[in-house]
Amino acid sequence: MSRPMDAMARKDNTPVLDEPAVYRLLVHLITHGPVAVCVRDPDGRYRWVNQAYAALYDRSASDMIGAPMDEFGPRALAGEQQWLDAEMLTRACETTIIRPHRFALRLNSRRTRHVAGYLAAVRSRNGRAFVAGFYLDLTEQMRAKRELFQMRERHRAVAERSTIPVLVCDPDGTVSDANPALCELLGRQLHDLRGATAGTLLFNRHNPQCGAWWGDLLGGKIPSHRARVLLDRKTEPPVEVRFTASVSRSPDGQPASVVFAVEAVRQMRWATMAGSTPLLSEVQARVLERVAIGDSNAAIGRALNLSRQSIDYHLAVLRRRLRAPSRTALVSHAYALGLLDAEEWPPTVHAAARPAEPR
């Protein structure tokens, strides 16, 4: 009977497992792997443990094999485990049973390990029943989750009481929280903001530039990002704000959230702020930026590839629109109207005053 089966296995190229080799591999993985494994007899004695299991108790495997479980850890925990072992062995007579098992192992007043895994009833070749446990140490994961929760609660408490608008997003850009000051600024409720994205709030028709800095911020290439944008509001005209984005990280260094501290700046006093027609053309905006830097007409012409007549024309249009009688007054009026930000260098005309970039 074995020959036809062997022939069939060779015919369909099905690999034939070397059972002794597989058994040795499993024994090696259980003995030296990261999963903590133990085997106990009905009397509550450890018949076998691997080093990962002994490390949970800060012992060696040789110390635990043959010893009763109540010699290690709290007596209450040993009593609970004995009760579970008895239940497993009783039900094992009826059917195969695997049961989830978690416990907190208090080693001393300052150290507690959180362990989770499964119990299983197994039988030896002579029919004797044993209980096997397979566990993972979740202490570090539990600590990281606890510290992350505490960190978020501290941020929430500070933000709730702050008069500075604060927006909190997940690493993928989804809005997870906002404080009352931001909701008031936007004229929207928190439940309206949650689930939205930072892109829809910060980069709208007024601010067509993309957030290419987002990846650098999450990756740690830059500590923070500052920008000046125009935010849409539900019932009122758009408001100009300056935000600082920074990353809040979990204990393992991974980005947990992106926090935006928003500062409303003095609103720009130009009629087209809320309209669709830009105040300046792209060329006029670039000329104004070069004038604010202090470039001469010749330098502006070389930088923008414009003739002297073109520069004179654009400067005349700028002085007329900004009601500036001179070159110096032109720059002063641009700052006074909010076209240029006094805290930015080199000077940049706000995106809302220039045509949107093609998409």
Side-chain angles (χ1 to χ4, degrees), residues 263-287:
E263 176 189 3
V265 298
R266 181 162 52 92
Q267 293 189 16
M268 293 174 285
R269 299 190 301 273
W270 10 292
T272 58
M273 180 181 65
S276 59
T277 303
L279 180 65
L280 306 177
S281 68
E282 181 60 27
V283 174
Q284 291 162 1
R286 297 178 67 185
V287 168

Side-chain angles (χ1 to χ4, degrees), residues 83-92 97-99 119-121 131:
W83 182 84
L84 288 174
D85 286 1
E87 182 187 26
M88 295 287 295
L89 295 173
T90 300
R91 297 180 61 183
I97 179 172
I98 299 177
R99 174 171 181 164
L119 290 175
V131 174

Side-chain angles (χ1 to χ4, degrees), residues 87-319:
E87 182 187 26
M88 295 287 295
L89 295 173
T90 300
R91 297 180 61 183
C93 299
E94 306 170 359
T95 181
T96 303
I97 179 172
I98 299 177
R99 174 171 181 164
H101 184 214
R102 345 177 28 109
F103 62 91
L105 177 60
R106 186 177 296 277
L107 299 176
N108 52 48
S109 59
R110 295 185 178 181
R111 296 179 59 199
T112 300
R113 284 200 170 102
H114 298 275
V115 184
Y118 293 90
L119 290 175
V122 296
R123 290 187 178 276
S124 63
R125 291 182 178 180
N126 59 12
R128 189 177 182 187
F130 297 88
V131 174
F134 304 84
Y135 300 102
L136 287 176
D137 186 355
L138 303 180
T139 305
E140 289 303 314
Q141 291 90 325
M142 296 285 289
R143 181 183 63 82
K145 287 183 179 181
R146 182 173 62 253
E147 291 182 357
L148 179 59
F149 175 79
Q150 293 172 350
M151 178 181 63
R152 286 181 172 175
E153 288 301 307
R154 286 195 297 267
H155 288 173
R156 184 188 301 274
V158 172
E160 288 290 334
R161 294 170 175 80
S162 175
T163 58
I164 299 176
V166 177
L167 179 71
V168 182
C169 296
D170 294 333
D172 64 356
T174 304
V175 175
S176 59
D177 205 358
N179 69 342
L182 184 77
C183 295
E184 181 180 358
L185 176 67
L186 297 180
R188 300 174 64 179
Q189 299 295 324
L190 178 58
H191 61 80
D192 293 332
L193 295 176
R194 280 179 175 158
T197 63
T200 59
L201 293 177
L202 302 177
F203 305 108
N204 45 49
R205 68 181 186 278
H206 304 294
N207 317 301
Q209 69 272 27
C210 65
W213 49 268
W214 189 272
D216 294 339
L217 188 65
L218 294 179
K221 293 183 179 179
I222 56 175
S224 61
H225 177 77
R226 286 173 58 85
R228 181 174 173 175
V229 297
L230 200 63
L231 297 186
D232 286 325
R233 294 195 283 184
K234 188 172 183 179
T235 57
E236 299 182 29
V239 59
E240 187 185 14
V241 301
R242 184 184 297 108
F243 71 78
T244 301
S246 57
V247 176
S248 176
R249 298 187 180 276
S250 59
D252 60 356
Q254 296 300 313
S257 57
V258 179
V259 181
F260 293 86
V262 181
E263 176 189 3
V265 298
R266 181 162 52 92
Q267 293 189 16
M268 293 174 285
R269 299 190 301 273
W270 10 292
T272 58
M273 180 181 65
S276 59
T277 303
L279 180 65
L280 306 177
S281 68
E282 181 60 27
V283 174
Q284 291 162 1
R286 297 178 67 185
V287 168
L288 178 59
E289 292 169 350
R290 306 302 300 191
V291 172
I293 291 175
D295 284 354
S296 64
N297 285 9
I300 296 174
R302 289 192 299 269
L304 304 183
N305 195 24
L306 296 175
S307 66
R308 186 188 61 177
Q309 293 78 8
S310 296
I311 296 174
D312 291 339
Y313 167 77
H314 290 304
L315 286 175
V317 173
L318 286 171
R319 285 196 296 268

Side-chain angles (χ1 to χ4, degrees), residues 300-358:
I300 296 174
R302 289 192 299 269
L304 304 183
N305 195 24
L306 296 175
S307 66
R308 186 188 61 177
Q309 293 78 8
S310 296
I311 296 174
D312 291 339
Y313 167 77
H314 290 304
L315 286 175
V317 173
L318 286 171
R319 285 196 296 268
R320 183 175 65 253
R321 290 190 177 181
L322 274 63
R323 299 178 182 178
S326 65
R327 191 186 187 94
T328 303
L330 177 64
V331 177
S332 300
H333 287 195
Y335 277 113
L337 292 172
L339 289 171
L340 298 173
D341 188 353
E343 297 185 7
E344 291 184 0
W345 188 266
T348 302
V349 173
H350 195 278
R354 63 203 308 167
E357 298 178 1

